[in-house]
Amino acid sequence: MRRLLVLYGLAMTSVVVVAFLVPLGLLARSLAEERALSAGRQDAQSVAVFAGGATQDSARLDAAVLAVNGAQRRTTVFLPDGKTVGAPAGPSPAIDLAQLGRALTARTDGGVQVLLPVGGSAGVSVVRTFIPDSELTKGVQQSWLVLAGVGVVLIVATMAAGDRIASRLSRSVRDLSSVAEKLGSGDLAARVEPSGPQEVASVGRVLNGLGERVAGLLADERELVADLSHRLRTPITALRLDVELIDDAQERERMTEHVDALVDAVDAVVWAARHPVHNAPVSRCDAATVVRDRGRFWGVLAADQGRDLRVDVPDAAAVVGTSVVELGAALDVLVDNVFSHTPAHTSLVLGVAVVGPLVEVVVEDDGPGFVAADLAERGRSGTGSTGLGLDVARRTAERAGGRLVIGAGMSGGARIVLELPSQA
């Protein structure tokens, strides 16, 4: 932006310089020519005083011609009898025209000749003063150099002033861009000091107001989510008391583990609601271990519904950049979708595969598949549910630097893949 503003200023100044200095240069040239022609006419007139009586007083004519002839201008008198006085010069059509009584200025080789006819008793004499091109352009080069110097000074001064103004303006815009980038990355405390032109400063004030508004809305949303999550503790406590009344020790232990997992999930929701995503610590986990664990968890329900649940994970660790809780929650919602939206006895596969720099966490079933392929959005499911499950999985993948891929499985069912960068 700074360079662009300087270039705009330079272009405008260049146009102004050309528009003013070029006519001045042409005027200087015209004045030099007029000055030389005026001097030539004066020489011709001073000699013409004596040219009319040349036959009676040739000495005075010779003296007048000698007085005006110099290194530059040369004057010649063509007498009626064909003789010449002064600088050597040959006849020409312009001289013949002047002998008819017409004064004129004509171009000739190397310069301009001023012709002045003088009538006398013996006929018409022609006084010719030759002005060379060097005198016609005397001082023109120096004038152009001075004008060019003035133009360079103007352009340099404009560039310096434009760079200073552009620097101040671009600094204000860079501050706005920096704060906008921080706000976009989740740093809602970022603020800009309004500066620069009134319009730019106004944008800074609006951006600060926007940051405060967004921060307030998110704070209210976090408090609401945390409050709702906290309210779940009362029914969970009641559920725990009911579990303790189960007579079967093995069943009681299994249900207690489920209740503990539910408490951990609620605690995670409360923590996530009160802590912005950009403040969360960097987490890593072994995707193979998580998939294996969630496979055991869902295996009981799968067996109860007559589903064939197969877990296909490698023996080696497949480390990804997300936590055990987040990856487990994403798998739970995906598997829950299979149980909720496919008929009983529908088989499914939980798998992990390392493909180059990626770790693919796969949930695949033999059900009817998706109604549409663009369902990984909040509020869309295609079956009348909230659609939050796919959105949870998608955001988990994106926070880890990956993506959620939805497609069809080998048997025509749904295939959902969490593509996560490997952290091994």
Side-chain angles (χ1 to χ4, degrees), residues 221 225 269 272-273 277 321-323 326-327 329-330 333-334 376-379 387-405 416-420:
E221 183 180 359
V225 173
V269 171
V277 175
T322 186
S323 66
E326 284 193 340
L327 183 57
V333 297
L334 295 179
E377 299 179 17
R378 181 182 294 271
L388 293 178
L390 292 177
D391 185 66
V392 170
R394 176 184 59 80
R395 287 188 290 112
T396 299
E398 291 178 352
R399 280 197 295 266
R403 62 172 183 160
L404 179 71
V405 180
I416 303 177
V417 182
L418 293 170
E419 291 185 352
L420 307 175

PDB file of all heavy atoms in Angstrom, residues 221 225 269 272-273 277 321-323 326-327 329-330 333-334 376-379 387-405 416-420:
ATOM      1  N   GLU A 221     -22.238 -16.885  26.148  1.00  0.00           N
ATOM      2  CA  GLU A 221     -22.476 -18.247  25.672  1.00  0.00           C
ATOM      3  C   GLU A 221     -21.724 -19.267  26.526  1.00  0.00           C
ATOM      4  O   GLU A 221     -22.267 -20.326  26.884  1.00  0.00           O
ATOM      5  CB  GLU A 221     -22.042 -18.375  24.209  1.00  0.00           C
ATOM      6  CG  GLU A 221     -22.311 -19.745  23.615  1.00  0.00           C
ATOM      7  CD  GLU A 221     -21.876 -19.852  22.169  1.00  0.00           C
ATOM      8  OE1 GLU A 221     -21.386 -18.836  21.639  1.00  0.00           O
ATOM      9  OE2 GLU A 221     -22.018 -20.936  21.595  1.00  0.00           O
ATOM     10  N   VAL A 225     -23.444 -22.299  28.642  1.00  0.00           N
ATOM     11  CA  VAL A 225     -23.083 -23.713  28.463  1.00  0.00           C
ATOM     12  C   VAL A 225     -22.570 -24.300  29.766  1.00  0.00           C
ATOM     13  O   VAL A 225     -22.917 -25.430  30.147  1.00  0.00           O
ATOM     14  CB  VAL A 225     -22.036 -23.855  27.343  1.00  0.00           C
ATOM     15  CG1 VAL A 225     -21.536 -25.295  27.259  1.00  0.00           C
ATOM     16  CG2 VAL A 225     -22.620 -23.434  26.013  1.00  0.00           C
ATOM     17  N   VAL A 269     -16.842 -30.529  29.278  1.00  0.00           N
ATOM     18  CA  VAL A 269     -17.706 -29.499  28.676  1.00  0.00           C
ATOM     19  C   VAL A 269     -17.615 -28.201  29.465  1.00  0.00           C
ATOM     20  O   VAL A 269     -17.507 -27.103  28.892  1.00  0.00           O
ATOM     21  CB  VAL A 269     -19.160 -30.001  28.600  1.00  0.00           C
ATOM     22  CG1 VAL A 269     -20.099 -28.870  28.196  1.00  0.00           C
ATOM     23  CG2 VAL A 269     -19.277 -31.147  27.611  1.00  0.00           C
ATOM     24  N   ALA A 272     -14.198 -26.611  28.765  1.00  0.00           N
ATOM     25  CA  ALA A 272     -14.139 -26.035  27.410  1.00  0.00           C
ATOM     26  C   ALA A 272     -14.980 -24.770  27.311  1.00  0.00           C
ATOM     27  O   ALA A 272     -14.635 -23.825  26.595  1.00  0.00           O
ATOM     28  CB  ALA A 272     -14.612 -27.066  26.387  1.00  0.00           C
ATOM     29  N   ALA A 273     -16.106 -24.738  28.061  1.00  0.00           N
ATOM     30  CA  ALA A 273     -16.953 -23.550  28.003  1.00  0.00           C
ATOM     31  C   ALA A 273     -16.292 -22.349  28.643  1.00  0.00           C
ATOM     32  O   ALA A 273     -16.525 -21.209  28.234  1.00  0.00           O
ATOM     33  CB  ALA A 273     -18.291 -23.840  28.692  1.00  0.00           C
ATOM     34  N   VAL A 277     -10.636 -21.632  22.994  1.00  0.00           N
ATOM     35  CA  VAL A 277      -9.891 -22.689  22.309  1.00  0.00           C
ATOM     36  C   VAL A 277      -8.413 -22.357  22.207  1.00  0.00           C
ATOM     37  O   VAL A 277      -7.549 -23.221  22.365  1.00  0.00           O
ATOM     38  CB  VAL A 277     -10.489 -22.916  20.896  1.00  0.00           C
ATOM     39  CG1 VAL A 277      -9.655 -23.911  20.115  1.00  0.00           C
ATOM     40  CG2 VAL A 277     -11.928 -23.404  21.017  1.00  0.00           C
ATOM     41  N   GLY A 321      -2.596 -35.027  16.963  1.00  0.00           N
ATOM     42  CA  GLY A 321      -2.570 -33.816  17.770  1.00  0.00           C
ATOM     43  C   GLY A 321      -3.903 -33.454  18.377  1.00  0.00           C
ATOM     44  O   GLY A 321      -4.391 -32.326  18.168  1.00  0.00           O
ATOM     45  N   THR A 322      -4.512 -34.337  19.109  1.00  0.00           N
ATOM     46  CA  THR A 322      -5.746 -34.051  19.842  1.00  0.00           C
ATOM     47  C   THR A 322      -5.753 -34.898  21.108  1.00  0.00           C
ATOM     48  O   THR A 322      -4.952 -35.846  21.235  1.00  0.00           O
ATOM     49  CB  THR A 322      -6.994 -34.357  18.978  1.00  0.00           C
ATOM     50  OG1 THR A 322      -8.155 -33.934  19.675  1.00  0.00           O
ATOM     51  CG2 THR A 322      -7.093 -35.826  18.650  1.00  0.00           C
ATOM     52  N   SER A 323      -6.640 -34.579  22.026  1.00  0.00           N
ATOM     53  CA  SER A 323      -6.644 -35.282  23.304  1.00  0.00           C
ATOM     54  C   SER A 323      -7.457 -36.563  23.224  1.00  0.00           C
ATOM     55  O   SER A 323      -8.255 -36.764  22.305  1.00  0.00           O
ATOM     56  CB  SER A 323      -7.208 -34.375  24.397  1.00  0.00           C
ATOM     57  OG  SER A 323      -8.583 -34.112  24.151  1.00  0.00           O
ATOM     58  N   GLU A 326     -11.205 -35.614  23.427  1.00  0.00           N
ATOM     59  CA  GLU A 326     -11.788 -35.063  22.205  1.00  0.00           C
ATOM     60  C   GLU A 326     -11.951 -36.131  21.132  1.00  0.00           C
ATOM     61  O   GLU A 326     -12.998 -36.223  20.488  1.00  0.00           O
ATOM     62  CB  GLU A 326     -10.923 -33.919  21.680  1.00  0.00           C
ATOM     63  CG  GLU A 326     -11.066 -32.622  22.460  1.00  0.00           C
ATOM     64  CD  GLU A 326     -10.441 -31.457  21.730  1.00  0.00           C
ATOM     65  OE1 GLU A 326      -9.594 -31.692  20.848  1.00  0.00           O
ATOM     66  OE2 GLU A 326     -10.790 -30.309  22.052  1.00  0.00           O
ATOM     67  N   LEU A 327     -10.906 -36.935  20.923  1.00  0.00           N
ATOM     68  CA  LEU A 327     -11.009 -37.971  19.900  1.00  0.00           C
ATOM     69  C   LEU A 327     -12.041 -39.019  20.292  1.00  0.00           C
ATOM     70  O   LEU A 327     -12.811 -39.492  19.449  1.00  0.00           O
ATOM     71  CB  LEU A 327      -9.645 -38.619  19.676  1.00  0.00           C
ATOM     72  CG  LEU A 327      -9.577 -39.682  18.568  1.00  0.00           C
ATOM     73  CD1 LEU A 327     -10.042 -39.100  17.239  1.00  0.00           C
ATOM     74  CD2 LEU A 327      -8.159 -40.239  18.435  1.00  0.00           C
ATOM     75  N   ALA A 329     -14.692 -38.486  22.151  1.00  0.00           N
ATOM     76  CA  ALA A 329     -16.020 -37.896  21.981  1.00  0.00           C
ATOM     77  C   ALA A 329     -16.430 -37.883  20.514  1.00  0.00           C
ATOM     78  O   ALA A 329     -17.598 -38.134  20.175  1.00  0.00           O
ATOM     79  CB  ALA A 329     -16.029 -36.483  22.544  1.00  0.00           C
ATOM     80  N   ALA A 330     -15.467 -37.573  19.630  1.00  0.00           N
ATOM     81  CA  ALA A 330     -15.780 -37.581  18.201  1.00  0.00           C
ATOM     82  C   ALA A 330     -16.159 -38.979  17.732  1.00  0.00           C
ATOM     83  O   ALA A 330     -17.120 -39.158  16.965  1.00  0.00           O
ATOM     84  CB  ALA A 330     -14.576 -37.067  17.406  1.00  0.00           C
ATOM     85  N   VAL A 333     -19.784 -39.913  18.998  1.00  0.00           N
ATOM     86  CA  VAL A 333     -20.921 -39.351  18.262  1.00  0.00           C
ATOM     87  C   VAL A 333     -21.069 -40.031  16.901  1.00  0.00           C
ATOM     88  O   VAL A 333     -22.189 -40.219  16.417  1.00  0.00           O
ATOM     89  CB  VAL A 333     -20.782 -37.825  18.097  1.00  0.00           C
ATOM     90  CG1 VAL A 333     -20.799 -37.135  19.440  1.00  0.00           C
ATOM     91  CG2 VAL A 333     -19.527 -37.446  17.333  1.00  0.00           C
ATOM     92  N   LEU A 334     -19.951 -40.403  16.280  1.00  0.00           N
ATOM     93  CA  LEU A 334     -20.040 -41.080  14.986  1.00  0.00           C
ATOM     94  C   LEU A 334     -20.626 -42.478  15.135  1.00  0.00           C
ATOM     95  O   LEU A 334     -21.477 -42.905  14.340  1.00  0.00           O
ATOM     96  CB  LEU A 334     -18.662 -41.138  14.329  1.00  0.00           C
ATOM     97  CG  LEU A 334     -18.028 -39.797  13.936  1.00  0.00           C
ATOM     98  CD1 LEU A 334     -16.657 -40.015  13.330  1.00  0.00           C
ATOM     99  CD2 LEU A 334     -18.923 -39.024  12.970  1.00  0.00           C
ATOM    100  N   ALA A 376     -21.880 -32.517   7.101  1.00  0.00           N
ATOM    101  CA  ALA A 376     -20.996 -32.209   8.227  1.00  0.00           C
ATOM    102  C   ALA A 376     -21.119 -30.752   8.632  1.00  0.00           C
ATOM    103  O   ALA A 376     -20.151 -30.013   8.704  1.00  0.00           O
ATOM    104  CB  ALA A 376     -19.558 -32.543   7.870  1.00  0.00           C
ATOM    105  N   GLU A 377     -22.342 -30.300   8.861  1.00  0.00           N
ATOM    106  CA  GLU A 377     -22.601 -28.929   9.256  1.00  0.00           C
ATOM    107  C   GLU A 377     -23.561 -28.939  10.440  1.00  0.00           C
ATOM    108  O   GLU A 377     -24.442 -29.788  10.541  1.00  0.00           O
ATOM    109  CB  GLU A 377     -23.222 -28.126   8.106  1.00  0.00           C
ATOM    110  CG  GLU A 377     -22.333 -28.047   6.877  1.00  0.00           C
ATOM    111  CD  GLU A 377     -23.020 -27.269   5.766  1.00  0.00           C
ATOM    112  OE1 GLU A 377     -24.001 -26.553   6.081  1.00  0.00           O
ATOM    113  OE2 GLU A 377     -22.599 -27.380   4.616  1.00  0.00           O
ATOM    114  N   ARG A 378     -23.365 -28.006  11.336  1.00  0.00           N
ATOM    115  CA  ARG A 378     -24.267 -27.906  12.491  1.00  0.00           C
ATOM    116  C   ARG A 378     -25.700 -27.667  12.009  1.00  0.00           C
ATOM    117  O   ARG A 378     -25.965 -26.806  11.189  1.00  0.00           O
ATOM    118  CB  ARG A 378     -23.812 -26.749  13.377  1.00  0.00           C
ATOM    119  CG  ARG A 378     -24.670 -26.563  14.623  1.00  0.00           C
ATOM    120  CD  ARG A 378     -24.177 -25.377  15.417  1.00  0.00           C
ATOM    121  NE  ARG A 378     -22.849 -25.609  15.973  1.00  0.00           N
ATOM    122  CZ  ARG A 378     -22.607 -26.159  17.161  1.00  0.00           C
ATOM    123  NH1 ARG A 378     -23.637 -26.542  17.908  1.00  0.00           N
ATOM    124  NH2 ARG A 378     -21.381 -26.328  17.593  1.00  0.00           N
ATOM    125  N   GLY A 379     -26.630 -28.436  12.607  1.00  0.00           N
ATOM    126  CA  GLY A 379     -28.030 -28.232  12.278  1.00  0.00           C
ATOM    127  C   GLY A 379     -28.493 -28.997  11.067  1.00  0.00           C
ATOM    128  O   GLY A 379     -29.622 -28.825  10.633  1.00  0.00           O
ATOM    129  N   GLY A 387     -28.045 -32.784  14.007  1.00  0.00           N
ATOM    130  CA  GLY A 387     -26.856 -32.669  13.153  1.00  0.00           C
ATOM    131  C   GLY A 387     -25.611 -32.287  13.896  1.00  0.00           C
ATOM    132  O   GLY A 387     -24.595 -31.983  13.277  1.00  0.00           O
ATOM    133  N   LEU A 388     -25.622 -32.268  15.245  1.00  0.00           N
ATOM    134  CA  LEU A 388     -24.455 -31.846  16.016  1.00  0.00           C
ATOM    135  C   LEU A 388     -23.339 -32.874  15.978  1.00  0.00           C
ATOM    136  O   LEU A 388     -22.180 -32.538  16.140  1.00  0.00           O
ATOM    137  CB  LEU A 388     -24.863 -31.576  17.478  1.00  0.00           C
ATOM    138  CG  LEU A 388     -25.789 -30.383  17.718  1.00  0.00           C
ATOM    139  CD1 LEU A 388     -26.131 -30.303  19.185  1.00  0.00           C
ATOM    140  CD2 LEU A 388     -25.135 -29.115  17.252  1.00  0.00           C
ATOM    141  N   GLY A 389     -23.696 -34.159  15.809  1.00  0.00           N
ATOM    142  CA  GLY A 389     -22.677 -35.202  15.872  1.00  0.00           C
ATOM    143  C   GLY A 389     -21.584 -35.031  14.851  1.00  0.00           C
ATOM    144  O   GLY A 389     -20.394 -35.023  15.175  1.00  0.00           O
ATOM    145  N   LEU A 390     -21.959 -34.864  13.591  1.00  0.00           N
ATOM    146  CA  LEU A 390     -20.964 -34.688  12.536  1.00  0.00           C
ATOM    147  C   LEU A 390     -20.187 -33.402  12.725  1.00  0.00           C
ATOM    148  O   LEU A 390     -18.998 -33.328  12.410  1.00  0.00           O
ATOM    149  CB  LEU A 390     -21.646 -34.701  11.168  1.00  0.00           C
ATOM    150  CG  LEU A 390     -22.241 -36.050  10.730  1.00  0.00           C
ATOM    151  CD1 LEU A 390     -22.951 -35.893   9.403  1.00  0.00           C
ATOM    152  CD2 LEU A 390     -21.155 -37.110  10.635  1.00  0.00           C
ATOM    153  N   ASP A 391     -20.846 -32.362  13.244  1.00  0.00           N
ATOM    154  CA  ASP A 391     -20.149 -31.104  13.468  1.00  0.00           C
ATOM    155  C   ASP A 391     -19.100 -31.238  14.562  1.00  0.00           C
ATOM    156  O   ASP A 391     -18.014 -30.663  14.471  1.00  0.00           O
ATOM    157  CB  ASP A 391     -21.154 -30.015  13.840  1.00  0.00           C
ATOM    158  CG  ASP A 391     -20.501 -28.663  13.975  1.00  0.00           C
ATOM    159  OD1 ASP A 391     -20.027 -28.136  12.954  1.00  0.00           O
ATOM    160  OD2 ASP A 391     -20.451 -28.141  15.109  1.00  0.00           O
ATOM    161  N   VAL A 392     -19.406 -32.016  15.622  1.00  0.00           N
ATOM    162  CA  VAL A 392     -18.410 -32.264  16.676  1.00  0.00           C
ATOM    163  C   VAL A 392     -17.189 -32.952  16.090  1.00  0.00           C
ATOM    164  O   VAL A 392     -16.038 -32.584  16.368  1.00  0.00           O
ATOM    165  CB  VAL A 392     -19.037 -33.102  17.807  1.00  0.00           C
ATOM    166  CG1 VAL A 392     -17.960 -33.577  18.778  1.00  0.00           C
ATOM    167  CG2 VAL A 392     -20.085 -32.295  18.544  1.00  0.00           C
ATOM    168  N   ALA A 393     -17.417 -33.969  15.267  1.00  0.00           N
ATOM    169  CA  ALA A 393     -16.299 -34.683  14.650  1.00  0.00           C
ATOM    170  C   ALA A 393     -15.510 -33.781  13.711  1.00  0.00           C
ATOM    171  O   ALA A 393     -14.273 -33.813  13.672  1.00  0.00           O
ATOM    172  CB  ALA A 393     -16.823 -35.904  13.902  1.00  0.00           C
ATOM    173  N   ARG A 394     -16.234 -32.963  12.956  1.00  0.00           N
ATOM    174  CA  ARG A 394     -15.545 -32.071  12.018  1.00  0.00           C
ATOM    175  C   ARG A 394     -14.654 -31.083  12.753  1.00  0.00           C
ATOM    176  O   ARG A 394     -13.504 -30.864  12.383  1.00  0.00           O
ATOM    177  CB  ARG A 394     -16.580 -31.309  11.177  1.00  0.00           C
ATOM    178  CG  ARG A 394     -15.973 -30.277  10.228  1.00  0.00           C
ATOM    179  CD  ARG A 394     -17.044 -29.495   9.500  1.00  0.00           C
ATOM    180  NE  ARG A 394     -17.911 -28.793  10.426  1.00  0.00           N
ATOM    181  CZ  ARG A 394     -17.588 -27.639  11.013  1.00  0.00           C
ATOM    182  NH1 ARG A 394     -16.413 -27.067  10.775  1.00  0.00           N
ATOM    183  NH2 ARG A 394     -18.438 -27.044  11.834  1.00  0.00           N
ATOM    184  N   ARG A 395     -15.180 -30.454  13.809  1.00  0.00           N
ATOM    185  CA  ARG A 395     -14.387 -29.474  14.544  1.00  0.00           C
ATOM    186  C   ARG A 395     -13.210 -30.130  15.256  1.00  0.00           C
ATOM    187  O   ARG A 395     -12.138 -29.529  15.372  1.00  0.00           O
ATOM    188  CB  ARG A 395     -15.290 -28.731  15.536  1.00  0.00           C
ATOM    189  CG  ARG A 395     -16.233 -27.748  14.853  1.00  0.00           C
ATOM    190  CD  ARG A 395     -16.988 -26.875  15.827  1.00  0.00           C
ATOM    191  NE  ARG A 395     -17.977 -27.653  16.575  1.00  0.00           N
ATOM    192  CZ  ARG A 395     -17.905 -27.905  17.868  1.00  0.00           C
ATOM    193  NH1 ARG A 395     -16.868 -27.472  18.559  1.00  0.00           N
ATOM    194  NH2 ARG A 395     -18.847 -28.603  18.476  1.00  0.00           N
ATOM    195  N   THR A 396     -13.376 -31.356  15.733  1.00  0.00           N
ATOM    196  CA  THR A 396     -12.250 -32.075  16.342  1.00  0.00           C
ATOM    197  C   THR A 396     -11.130 -32.273  15.326  1.00  0.00           C
ATOM    198  O   THR A 396      -9.949 -32.065  15.628  1.00  0.00           O
ATOM    199  CB  THR A 396     -12.725 -33.436  16.891  1.00  0.00           C
ATOM    200  OG1 THR A 396     -13.709 -33.216  17.899  1.00  0.00           O
ATOM    201  CG2 THR A 396     -11.563 -34.213  17.482  1.00  0.00           C
ATOM    202  N   ALA A 397     -11.502 -32.672  14.111  1.00  0.00           N
ATOM    203  CA  ALA A 397     -10.492 -32.873  13.066  1.00  0.00           C
ATOM    204  C   ALA A 397      -9.819 -31.567  12.682  1.00  0.00           C
ATOM    205  O   ALA A 397      -8.590 -31.507  12.525  1.00  0.00           O
ATOM    206  CB  ALA A 397     -11.143 -33.516  11.848  1.00  0.00           C
ATOM    207  N   GLU A 398     -10.583 -30.488  12.564  1.00  0.00           N
ATOM    208  CA  GLU A 398     -10.013 -29.214  12.143  1.00  0.00           C
ATOM    209  C   GLU A 398      -9.113 -28.614  13.216  1.00  0.00           C
ATOM    210  O   GLU A 398      -8.101 -27.990  12.901  1.00  0.00           O
ATOM    211  CB  GLU A 398     -11.133 -28.242  11.777  1.00  0.00           C
ATOM    212  CG  GLU A 398     -11.879 -28.644  10.509  1.00  0.00           C
ATOM    213  CD  GLU A 398     -13.013 -27.703  10.179  1.00  0.00           C
ATOM    214  OE1 GLU A 398     -13.320 -26.821  11.031  1.00  0.00           O
ATOM    215  OE2 GLU A 398     -13.616 -27.837   9.094  1.00  0.00           O
ATOM    216  N   ARG A 399      -9.468 -28.779  14.482  1.00  0.00           N
ATOM    217  CA  ARG A 399      -8.599 -28.262  15.551  1.00  0.00           C
ATOM    218  C   ARG A 399      -7.260 -28.994  15.571  1.00  0.00           C
ATOM    219  O   ARG A 399      -6.252 -28.418  15.994  1.00  0.00           O
ATOM    220  CB  ARG A 399      -9.304 -28.394  16.904  1.00  0.00           C
ATOM    221  CG  ARG A 399     -10.318 -27.308  17.182  1.00  0.00           C
ATOM    222  CD  ARG A 399     -10.669 -27.247  18.653  1.00  0.00           C
ATOM    223  NE  ARG A 399     -11.342 -28.458  19.106  1.00  0.00           N
ATOM    224  CZ  ARG A 399     -12.662 -28.595  19.152  1.00  0.00           C
ATOM    225  NH1 ARG A 399     -13.443 -27.590  18.761  1.00  0.00           N
ATOM    226  NH2 ARG A 399     -13.214 -29.709  19.586  1.00  0.00           N
ATOM    227  N   ALA A 400      -7.259 -30.238  15.121  1.00  0.00           N
ATOM    228  CA  ALA A 400      -6.010 -31.001  15.070  1.00  0.00           C
ATOM    229  C   ALA A 400      -5.257 -30.774  13.763  1.00  0.00           C
ATOM    230  O   ALA A 400      -4.231 -31.412  13.521  1.00  0.00           O
ATOM    231  CB  ALA A 400      -6.296 -32.490  15.256  1.00  0.00           C
ATOM    232  N   GLY A 401      -5.769 -29.887  12.912  1.00  0.00           N
ATOM    233  CA  GLY A 401      -5.111 -29.606  11.637  1.00  0.00           C
ATOM    234  C   GLY A 401      -5.522 -30.530  10.520  1.00  0.00           C
ATOM    235  O   GLY A 401      -4.865 -30.557   9.472  1.00  0.00           O
ATOM    236  N   GLY A 402      -6.597 -31.277  10.698  1.00  0.00           N
ATOM    237  CA  GLY A 402      -7.042 -32.206   9.671  1.00  0.00           C
ATOM    238  C   GLY A 402      -8.399 -31.828   9.112  1.00  0.00           C
ATOM    239  O   GLY A 402      -8.786 -30.668   9.109  1.00  0.00           O
ATOM    240  N   ARG A 403      -9.148 -32.858   8.686  1.00  0.00           N
ATOM    241  CA  ARG A 403     -10.466 -32.615   8.110  1.00  0.00           C
ATOM    242  C   ARG A 403     -11.326 -33.864   8.251  1.00  0.00           C
ATOM    243  O   ARG A 403     -10.819 -34.962   8.514  1.00  0.00           O
ATOM    244  CB  ARG A 403     -10.361 -32.228   6.635  1.00  0.00           C
ATOM    245  CG  ARG A 403      -9.742 -33.316   5.765  1.00  0.00           C
ATOM    246  CD  ARG A 403      -9.835 -32.973   4.298  1.00  0.00           C
ATOM    247  NE  ARG A 403      -9.313 -34.054   3.464  1.00  0.00           N
ATOM    248  CZ  ARG A 403      -9.601 -34.214   2.171  1.00  0.00           C
ATOM    249  NH1 ARG A 403     -10.414 -33.343   1.576  1.00  0.00           N
ATOM    250  NH2 ARG A 403      -9.100 -35.210   1.471  1.00  0.00           N
ATOM    251  N   LEU A 404     -12.624 -33.675   8.070  1.00  0.00           N
ATOM    252  CA  LEU A 404     -13.590 -34.769   8.105  1.00  0.00           C
ATOM    253  C   LEU A 404     -14.015 -35.080   6.679  1.00  0.00           C
ATOM    254  O   LEU A 404     -14.429 -34.190   5.938  1.00  0.00           O
ATOM    255  CB  LEU A 404     -14.799 -34.376   8.953  1.00  0.00           C
ATOM    256  CG  LEU A 404     -15.909 -35.424   9.060  1.00  0.00           C
ATOM    257  CD1 LEU A 404     -15.445 -36.588   9.909  1.00  0.00           C
ATOM    258  CD2 LEU A 404     -17.177 -34.808   9.652  1.00  0.00           C
ATOM    259  N   VAL A 405     -13.917 -36.340   6.283  1.00  0.00           N
ATOM    260  CA  VAL A 405     -14.281 -36.761   4.928  1.00  0.00           C
ATOM    261  C   VAL A 405     -15.444 -37.733   5.024  1.00  0.00           C
ATOM    262  O   VAL A 405     -15.365 -38.736   5.751  1.00  0.00           O
ATOM    263  CB  VAL A 405     -13.088 -37.427   4.214  1.00  0.00           C
ATOM    264  CG1 VAL A 405     -13.484 -37.853   2.808  1.00  0.00           C
ATOM    265  CG2 VAL A 405     -11.909 -36.464   4.158  1.00  0.00           C
ATOM    266  N   ILE A 416     -17.029 -42.594   7.210  1.00  0.00           N
ATOM    267  CA  ILE A 416     -16.597 -41.297   7.731  1.00  0.00           C
ATOM    268  C   ILE A 416     -15.144 -41.433   8.171  1.00  0.00           C
ATOM    269  O   ILE A 416     -14.803 -42.356   8.929  1.00  0.00           O
ATOM    270  CB  ILE A 416     -17.476 -40.851   8.916  1.00  0.00           C
ATOM    271  CG1 ILE A 416     -18.939 -40.788   8.493  1.00  0.00           C
ATOM    272  CG2 ILE A 416     -17.015 -39.494   9.432  1.00  0.00           C
ATOM    273  CD1 ILE A 416     -19.878 -40.440   9.612  1.00  0.00           C
ATOM    274  N   VAL A 417     -14.303 -40.517   7.704  1.00  0.00           N
ATOM    275  CA  VAL A 417     -12.871 -40.591   7.978  1.00  0.00           C
ATOM    276  C   VAL A 417     -12.425 -39.286   8.628  1.00  0.00           C
ATOM    277  O   VAL A 417     -12.680 -38.195   8.088  1.00  0.00           O
ATOM    278  CB  VAL A 417     -12.057 -40.833   6.689  1.00  0.00           C
ATOM    279  CG1 VAL A 417     -10.575 -40.942   7.030  1.00  0.00           C
ATOM    280  CG2 VAL A 417     -12.542 -42.098   5.997  1.00  0.00           C
ATOM    281  N   LEU A 418     -11.764 -39.399   9.763  1.00  0.00           N
ATOM    282  CA  LEU A 418     -11.082 -38.269  10.373  1.00  0.00           C
ATOM    283  C   LEU A 418      -9.628 -38.306   9.904  1.00  0.00           C
ATOM    284  O   LEU A 418      -8.861 -39.155  10.352  1.00  0.00           O
ATOM    285  CB  LEU A 418     -11.154 -38.359  11.903  1.00  0.00           C
ATOM    286  CG  LEU A 418     -12.528 -38.194  12.564  1.00  0.00           C
ATOM    287  CD1 LEU A 418     -12.449 -38.559  14.026  1.00  0.00           C
ATOM    288  CD2 LEU A 418     -13.010 -36.773  12.415  1.00  0.00           C
ATOM    289  N   GLU A 419      -9.274 -37.399   9.010  1.00  0.00           N
ATOM    290  CA  GLU A 419      -7.901 -37.328   8.515  1.00  0.00           C
ATOM    291  C   GLU A 419      -7.120 -36.383   9.401  1.00  0.00           C
ATOM    292  O   GLU A 419      -7.336 -35.169   9.377  1.00  0.00           O
ATOM    293  CB  GLU A 419      -7.874 -36.868   7.056  1.00  0.00           C
ATOM    294  CG  GLU A 419      -8.437 -37.877   6.073  1.00  0.00           C
ATOM    295  CD  GLU A 419      -8.268 -37.430   4.634  1.00  0.00           C
ATOM    296  OE1 GLU A 419      -7.850 -36.269   4.425  1.00  0.00           O
ATOM    297  OE2 GLU A 419      -8.551 -38.221   3.728  1.00  0.00           O
ATOM    298  N   LEU A 420      -6.205 -36.912  10.196  1.00  0.00           N
ATOM    299  CA  LEU A 420      -5.452 -36.125  11.175  1.00  0.00           C
ATOM    300  C   LEU A 420      -3.966 -36.207  10.867  1.00  0.00           C
ATOM    301  O   LEU A 420      -3.472 -37.293  10.546  1.00  0.00           O
ATOM    302  CB  LEU A 420      -5.712 -36.655  12.603  1.00  0.00           C
ATOM    303  CG  LEU A 420      -7.188 -36.779  12.998  1.00  0.00           C
ATOM    304  CD1 LEU A 420      -7.296 -37.432  14.372  1.00  0.00           C
ATOM    305  CD2 LEU A 420      -7.870 -35.440  12.980  1.00  0.00           C
TER     306      LEU A 420
END
